[in-house]
Coordinates of all heavy atoms in Angstrom, one line a residue:
V1 N 95.9 76.6 119.9 CA 96.4 76.7 118.6 C 97.3 78.0 118.5 O 98.4 78.0 117.9 CB 95.3 76.7 117.5 CG1 95.8 77.1 116.2 CG2 94.7 75.3 117.4
A2 N 96.7 79.1 119.0 CA 97.5 80.4 118.9 C 98.8 80.3 119.7 O 99.8 80.8 119.2 CB 96.6 81.5 119.4
C3 N 98.7 79.7 120.9 CA 99.9 79.6 121.7 C 101.0 78.7 121.1 O 102.2 79.0 121.1 CB 99.6 79.1 123.1 SG 98.7 80.3 124.1
L4 N 100.5 77.6 120.5 CA 101.5 76.7 119.9 C 102.1 77.3 118.6 O 103.3 77.1 118.4 CB 100.8 75.4 119.5 CG 101.6 74.2 119.1 CD1 102.7 73.9 120.1 CD2 100.8 73.0 118.7
G5 N 101.3 78.1 117.9 CA 101.9 78.8 116.7 C 103.0 79.8 117.1 O 104.1 79.9 116.6
Q6 N 102.7 80.6 118.2 CA 103.7 81.5 118.7 C 104.9 80.8 119.3 O 106.0 81.3 119.1 CB 103.0 82.5 119.7 CG 103.9 83.5 120.2 CD 104.2 84.6 119.2 OE1 103.8 84.5 118.1 NE2 105.0 85.6 119.6
F7 N 104.7 79.7 119.9 CA 105.8 78.9 120.5 C 106.7 78.5 119.4 O 107.9 78.6 119.5 CB 105.2 77.7 121.2 CG 106.3 76.7 121.6 CD1 107.0 76.8 122.8 CD2 106.5 75.6 120.8 CE1 108.0 75.9 123.1 CE2 107.5 74.7 121.1 CZ 108.2 74.8 122.3
M8 N 106.2 78.1 118.2 CA 107.0 77.6 117.1 C 107.9 78.7 116.6 O 109.0 78.6 116.3 CB 106.1 77.0 116.0 CG 106.8 76.5 114.8 SD 105.7 75.6 113.7 CE 104.7 76.9 113.1
V9 N 107.3 79.9 116.5 CA 108.0 81.1 115.9 C 109.1 81.5 116.9 O 110.3 81.7 116.5 CB 107.0 82.3 115.7 CG1 107.8 83.5 115.4 CG2 106.1 82.0 114.6
L10 N 108.8 81.5 118.2 CA 109.8 82.0 119.2 C 110.9 80.9 119.4 O 112.1 81.3 119.6 CB 109.2 82.3 120.5 CG 108.7 83.8 120.7 CD1 109.9 84.7 120.7 CD2 107.8 84.2 119.6
L11 N 110.5 79.6 119.3 CA 111.5 78.6 119.3 C 112.6 78.8 118.2 O 113.8 78.6 118.4 CB 110.9 77.2 119.2 CG 111.8 76.0 119.2 CD1 112.3 75.8 120.6 CD2 111.0 74.7 118.8
D12 N 112.1 79.1 117.0 CA 113.0 79.3 115.9 C 114.0 80.4 116.2 O 115.1 80.4 115.6 CB 112.2 79.6 114.6 CG 113.0 79.5 113.4 OD1 113.2 78.4 112.9 OD2 113.4 80.6 112.9
N13 N 113.6 81.4 116.9 CA 114.5 82.6 117.2 C 115.8 82.2 117.9 O 116.9 82.7 117.6 CB 113.8 83.6 118.1 CG 112.8 84.5 117.2 OD1 112.7 84.3 116.0 ND2 112.2 85.4 117.9
T14 N 115.7 81.2 118.8 CA 116.9 80.9 119.6 C 117.5 79.5 119.2 O 118.7 79.3 119.5 CB 116.5 80.8 121.1 OG1 115.4 80.0 121.3 CG2 116.2 82.2 121.7
I15 N 116.7 78.7 118.6 CA 117.3 77.4 118.2 C 118.3 77.5 117.1 O 119.2 76.7 117.0 CB 116.1 76.4 117.8 CG1 116.6 74.9 117.9 CG2 115.6 76.7 116.4 CD1 115.4 73.9 117.7
V16 N 118.1 78.5 116.2 CA 119.0 78.7 115.1 C 120.4 79.1 115.6 O 121.4 78.7 115.1 CB 118.5 79.7 114.1 CG1 119.5 80.1 113.1 CG2 117.2 79.1 113.4
G17 N 120.4 79.9 116.7 CA 121.7 80.4 117.3 C 122.5 79.2 117.7 O 123.8 79.2 117.6
A18 N 121.9 78.2 118.3 CA 122.6 77.0 118.7 C 123.2 76.2 117.6 O 124.2 75.5 117.8 CB 121.7 76.1 119.5
A19 N 122.6 76.4 116.4 CA 123.1 75.6 115.2 C 124.2 76.3 114.4 O 124.8 75.6 113.5 CB 121.9 75.3 114.3
L20 N 124.5 77.5 114.7 CA 125.4 78.3 113.8 C 126.8 77.6 113.7 O 127.3 77.6 112.6 CB 125.5 79.7 114.3 CG 124.2 80.6 114.2 CD1 124.4 81.9 114.8 CD2 123.9 80.7 112.7
P21 N 127.4 77.2 114.8 CA 128.7 76.5 114.6 C 128.7 75.3 113.7 O 129.6 75.1 112.9 CB 129.1 76.1 116.1 CG 128.4 77.1 116.9 CD 127.0 77.3 116.2
D22 N 127.6 74.5 113.8 CA 127.5 73.3 113.0 C 127.2 73.7 111.5 O 127.8 73.1 110.6 CB 126.3 72.4 113.5 CG 126.3 71.0 112.9 OD1 127.4 70.3 112.9 OD2 125.3 70.6 112.3
M23 N 126.4 74.7 111.3 CA 126.2 75.2 110.0 C 127.5 75.7 109.3 O 127.7 75.5 108.2 CB 125.2 76.4 110.0 CG 123.7 75.9 110.3 SD 122.7 77.4 110.5 CE 121.1 76.6 110.7
Q24 N 128.3 76.4 110.1 CA 129.5 76.9 109.6 C 130.4 75.8 109.1 O 131.0 75.9 108.0 CB 130.2 77.8 110.7 CG 131.5 78.5 110.2 CD 132.0 79.5 111.2 OE1 131.8 79.3 112.4 NE2 132.7 80.5 110.7
R25 N 130.5 74.7 109.9 CA 131.4 73.6 109.5 C 130.8 72.8 108.3 O 131.5 72.5 107.3 CB 131.6 72.7 110.7 CG 132.6 73.2 111.7 CD 133.1 72.2 112.6 NE 132.0 71.6 113.4 CZ 131.7 72.1 114.6 NH1 132.4 73.1 115.1 NH2 130.7 71.6 115.3
R26 N 129.5 72.5 108.4 CA 129.0 71.6 107.4 C 128.7 72.3 106.0 O 128.7 71.6 105.0 CB 127.7 70.9 107.9 CG 127.9 70.0 109.1 CD 126.8 69.1 109.4 NE 126.9 68.4 110.6 CZ 126.3 67.2 110.8 NH1 125.5 66.7 109.9 NH2 126.5 66.6 112.0
L27 N 128.3 73.6 106.1 CA 128.0 74.3 104.9 C 129.3 75.1 104.4 O 129.2 75.7 103.3 CB 126.9 75.3 105.1 CG 125.5 74.6 105.4 CD1 124.5 75.7 105.8 CD2 125.0 73.8 104.2
H28 N 130.4 75.0 105.1 CA 131.6 75.6 104.7 C 131.4 77.1 104.4 O 131.8 77.6 103.3 CB 132.2 74.9 103.4 CG 132.3 73.4 103.5 ND1 133.2 72.8 104.4 CD2 131.6 72.4 103.0 CE1 133.1 71.5 104.3 NE2 132.1 71.2 103.4
T29 N 130.9 77.8 105.4 CA 130.6 79.2 105.2 C 131.4 80.0 106.2 O 131.9 79.4 107.2 CB 129.1 79.5 105.3 OG1 128.9 80.9 105.0 CG2 128.6 79.2 106.8
Q30 N 131.5 81.3 106.0 CA 132.2 82.1 107.0 C 131.2 82.9 107.8 O 130.0 82.7 107.7 CB 133.1 83.1 106.2 CG 134.1 82.4 105.3 CD 135.1 81.5 106.2 OE1 135.5 81.9 107.2 NE2 135.3 80.3 105.7
L31 N 131.7 83.9 108.6 CA 130.8 84.7 109.4 C 129.7 85.4 108.6 O 128.6 85.5 109.1 CB 131.6 85.7 110.2 CG 130.9 86.6 111.2 CD1 130.2 85.7 112.3 CD2 131.8 87.6 111.9
T32 N 130.1 85.9 107.4 CA 129.1 86.6 106.6 C 127.9 85.7 106.3 O 126.7 86.2 106.4 CB 129.8 87.1 105.3 OG1 130.8 88.0 105.6 CG2 128.7 87.8 104.4
G33 N 128.1 84.5 105.9 CA 127.0 83.6 105.6 C 126.1 83.3 106.9 O 124.9 83.3 106.7
L34 N 126.7 83.2 108.0 CA 126.0 83.0 109.3 C 125.1 84.2 109.5 O 123.9 84.1 110.0 CB 126.9 82.7 110.4 CG 127.8 81.5 110.4 CD1 128.6 81.3 111.6 CD2 126.9 80.2 110.1
Q35 N 125.7 85.4 109.3 CA 124.9 86.6 109.5 C 123.6 86.7 108.6 O 122.5 87.0 109.1 CB 125.7 87.9 109.3 CG 126.8 88.1 110.3 CD 127.7 89.3 110.0 OE1 128.6 89.2 109.2 NE2 127.4 90.4 110.6
W36 N 123.8 86.3 107.4 CA 122.7 86.3 106.5 C 121.6 85.2 106.8 O 120.4 85.4 106.7 CB 123.1 86.0 105.0 CG 123.6 87.3 104.3 CD1 124.8 87.5 103.8 CD2 122.9 88.5 104.1 NE1 124.9 88.8 103.3 CE2 123.7 89.4 103.4 CE3 121.6 88.9 104.4 CZ2 123.3 90.7 103.1 CZ3 121.1 90.1 104.0 CH2 122.0 91.0 103.4
I37 N 122.1 84.1 107.4 CA 121.1 83.0 107.8 C 120.2 83.6 108.9 O 119.0 83.3 108.9 CB 121.9 81.8 108.3 CG1 122.6 81.1 107.1 CG2 121.0 80.8 109.0 CD1 123.5 80.0 107.5
V38 N 120.7 84.4 109.8 CA 119.9 85.0 110.8 C 119.2 86.2 110.3 O 117.9 86.3 110.5 CB 120.8 85.4 112.0 CG1 120.0 86.1 113.1 CG2 121.4 84.1 112.7
D39 N 119.8 87.1 109.7 CA 119.2 88.4 109.3 C 118.2 88.3 108.2 O 117.3 89.1 108.1 CB 120.3 89.4 108.9 CG 120.7 90.3 110.1 OD1 120.0 90.2 111.2 OD2 121.5 91.2 110.0
A40 N 118.4 87.3 107.3 CA 117.4 87.2 106.2 C 116.0 86.9 106.8 O 115.0 87.4 106.3 CB 117.8 86.0 105.3
Y41 N 115.9 86.2 107.9 CA 114.7 85.9 108.6 C 114.2 87.1 109.4 O 113.0 87.5 109.3 CB 114.9 84.7 109.5 CG 113.7 84.4 110.5 CD1 112.7 83.6 110.0 CD2 113.7 84.8 111.8 CE1 111.6 83.3 110.9 CE2 112.7 84.5 112.6 CZ 111.6 83.7 112.2 OH 110.6 83.4 113.0
V42 N 115.1 87.6 110.2 CA 114.7 88.7 111.1 C 114.3 90.0 110.3 O 113.3 90.7 110.7 CB 115.8 89.1 112.1 CG1 115.4 90.2 113.0 CG2 116.2 87.9 112.9
L43 N 114.9 90.2 109.2 CA 114.6 91.4 108.3 C 113.2 91.3 107.8 O 112.4 92.3 107.9 CB 115.6 91.5 107.2 CG 115.3 92.5 106.1 CD1 115.4 93.9 106.7 CD2 116.2 92.4 104.9
L44 N 112.8 90.1 107.3 CA 111.4 90.0 106.8 C 110.4 90.1 107.9 O 109.3 90.7 107.7 CB 111.3 88.7 106.1 CG 111.6 88.7 104.5 CD1 110.6 89.6 103.8 CD2 113.0 89.2 104.2
V45 N 110.7 89.5 109.1 CA 109.7 89.6 110.2 C 109.6 91.1 110.6 O 108.5 91.6 110.8 CB 110.2 88.8 111.4 CG1 109.3 89.0 112.6 CG2 110.2 87.3 111.0
A46 N 110.7 91.8 110.7 CA 110.7 93.2 111.2 C 109.9 94.1 110.2 O 109.0 94.9 110.6 CB 112.1 93.7 111.3
M47 N 110.1 93.9 108.9 CA 109.5 94.8 108.0 C 108.0 94.4 107.6 O 107.3 95.3 107.1 CB 110.3 94.8 106.7 CG 111.7 95.4 106.9 SD 111.7 97.1 107.3 CE 111.9 97.0 109.1
L48 N 107.6 93.2 107.9 CA 106.3 92.7 107.5 C 105.3 92.5 108.7 O 104.2 92.2 108.5 CB 106.3 91.4 106.7 CG 107.1 91.5 105.4 CD1 107.1 90.1 104.7 CD2 106.5 92.5 104.4

């Protein structure tokens, strides 16, 4: 259970990077929006 939970968290770290080009096209966002999609998550993890 502990390993699978950590696997899920770490999978999310790199799987989102692969999706950024598709997010940019389908959500009609610019580079700033993509940065927030990544940093909103990482910021909360870092600080908490």
Side-chain angles (χ1 to χ4, degrees):
V1 169
C3 289
L4 190 57
Q6 183 69 2
F7 169 84
M8 182 171 65
V9 170
L10 269 295
L11 178 72
D12 191 80
N13 280 0
T14 51
I15 200 172
V16 171
L20 292 175
D22 193 52
M23 289 175 176
Q24 185 171 26
R25 285 197 293 267
R26 297 195 185 205
L27 293 174
H28 308 291
T29 187
Q30 301 300 317
L31 182 61
T32 298
L34 298 182
Q35 288 176 281
W36 277 120
I37 290 170
V38 174
D39 263 358
Y41 173 82
V42 180
L43 173 65
L44 269 295
V45 174
M47 297 296 97
L48 298 180

